[in-house]
């Protein structure tokens, strides 16, 4: 059996290779839209004497908010001394889990495309290759569901921690005084919302691809052979 590299682009014209290319692209959009985020919300203080002061709440991936310094010690706001204050919350685990799965799928898609385009003759002649491909694909479908759901919840936690209610509860100056606190400018989280959409989209794409990979396994071929053999059984001649 020939095992050398043979470049053949025809698999890209078939669902098996074309969907794998789509998976590669959607994985890029998933980790790119989440991992590269950096934003800032503007918290405005409306002082009792009519003056207004502002504070920037800067945050970024991986959204370990509890380590983000919001106010330095001995800062004066509205004639009040404010102690060192950090933001509240930590969505790093869900964000890094999501990006990690996306990167793994990106790398696996590239590896699978290399096999499809250069070693398809080996892939089709092997029982192990298609089965391994199917098992990995099925596992990744489940992981996309888990990481997308976890990141959707983590993103909501980030939004809650950086909105008016969340930051007002974090800054002691905003509680029990004649100072009103309000977030007047919000960071654009469109890319983060898109990342969640791409997470679930990846789950559906990989689930669809699982069927085409399954058709390459000997499990499917044995099923077809069994059905064909059963259909060719001779019908007894009438007496």
């Amino acid at each position: 059996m020939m095992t050398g590299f043979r470049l053949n682009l025809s698999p890209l014209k078939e669902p098996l290779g074309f969907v794998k290319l789509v998976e590669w692209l959607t994985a890029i959009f998933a980790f790119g839209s989440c991992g590269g985020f950096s934003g800032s919300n503007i918290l405005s203080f409306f002082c009792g004497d009519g003056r207004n002061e502002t504070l920037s709440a800067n945050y970024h991936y991986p959204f370990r908010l509890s380590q983000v310094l919001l106010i330095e010690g001995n800062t004066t706001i509205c004639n009040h001394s404010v102690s060192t204050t950090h933001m509240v919350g930590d969505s790093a685990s869900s964000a890094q889990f999501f990006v990690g799965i996306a990167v793994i799928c990106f790398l696996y898609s590239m590896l699978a495309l290399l096999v499809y385009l250069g070693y398809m003759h080996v892939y089709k002649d092997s029982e192990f290759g298609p089965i391994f491909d199917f098992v990995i694909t099925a596992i990744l479908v489940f992981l996309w569901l888990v990481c997308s759901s976890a990141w959707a919840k983590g993103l909501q936690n980030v939004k809650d921690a950086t909105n008016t209610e969340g930051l007002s509860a974090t800054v002691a100056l905003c509680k029990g005084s004649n100072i009103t606190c309000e977030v007047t400018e919000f960071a654009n989280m469109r890319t983060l919302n898109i990342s969640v959409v791409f997470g679930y989209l990846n789950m559906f794409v990989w689930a669809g691809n699982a069927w085409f990979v399954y058709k390459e396994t000997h499990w499917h071929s044995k099923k077809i052979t069994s059905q064909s053999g059963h259909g060719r059984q001779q019908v007894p001649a009438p007496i």
Side-chain angles (χ1 to χ4, degrees):
M1 181 177 63
M2 295 293 294
T3 60
F5 181 85
R6 295 189 212 162
L7 180 61
N8 181 11
L9 299 180
S10 60
L12 292 178
K13 301 177 183 179
E14 302 174 0
L16 182 67
F18 178 76
V19 176
K20 191 64 69 178
L21 180 61
V22 173
E23 291 172 347
W24 179 73
L25 292 173
T26 53
I28 293 176
F29 284 115
F31 70 74
S33 57
C34 177
F37 179 83
S38 179
S40 177
N41 286 8
I42 302 299
L43 180 64
S44 297
F45 298 88
F46 300 95
C47 308
D49 57 4
R51 292 184 302 108
N52 298 337
E53 297 188 25
T54 59
L55 180 70
S56 296
N58 304 311
Y59 53 98
H60 53 81
Y61 175 85
F63 308 103
R64 195 170 281 109
L65 302 181
S66 59
Q67 297 183 5
V68 176
L69 182 63
L70 184 61
I71 303 175
E72 295 184 1
N74 299 321
T75 299
T76 300
I77 301 177
C78 295
N79 296 325
H80 290 75
S81 180
V82 184
S83 60
T84 301
T85 305
H86 290 80
M87 298 179 70
V88 176
D90 190 342
S91 297
S93 58
S94 59
Q96 290 176 327
F97 180 35
F98 179 83
V99 171
I101 295 300
V103 171
I104 289 173
C105 289
F106 167 76
L107 296 175
Y108 182 75
S109 297
M110 283 201 305
L111 178 62
L113 283 172
L114 175 64
V115 173
Y116 294 166
L117 300 181
Y119 298 94
M120 181 56 79
H121 54 291
V122 179
Y123 180 88
K124 287 184 175 293
D125 291 340
S126 169
E127 289 189 359
F128 173 77
I131 291 177
F132 176 82
D133 195 11
F134 174 73
V135 171
I136 295 298
T137 301
I139 291 174
L140 290 175
V141 172
F142 174 73
L143 290 178
W144 270 121
L145 172 62
V146 175
C147 75
S148 298
S149 301
W151 171 228
K153 181 61 171 64
L155 176 56
Q156 186 58 52
N157 292 339
V158 172
K159 292 179 178 179
D160 292 340
T162 56
N163 62 16
T164 296
E165 291 75 13
L167 291 178
S168 296
T170 302
V171 180
L173 191 64
C174 299
K175 296 177 289 186
S177 66
N178 61 343
I179 301 173
T180 302
C181 302
E182 181 181 351
V183 176
T184 54
E185 293 185 26
F186 288 88
N188 189 343
M189 291 189 176
R190 186 178 300 127
T191 57
L192 297 181
N193 294 328
I194 290 175
S195 70
V196 175
V197 173
F198 270 106
Y200 286 110
L201 177 61
N202 270 283
M203 181 192 70
F204 287 113
V205 172
W206 282 81
N209 184 236
W211 165 248
F212 297 111
V213 176
Y214 170 73
K215 290 175 67 175
E216 299 295 328
T217 65
H218 72 278
W219 298 329
H220 181 265
S221 60
K222 285 182 178 179
K223 182 178 178 181
I224 296 298
T225 303
S226 176
Q227 292 176 346
S228 300
H230 181 74
R232 289 196 300 267
Q233 290 181 350
Q234 294 183 353
V235 179
I239 299 176

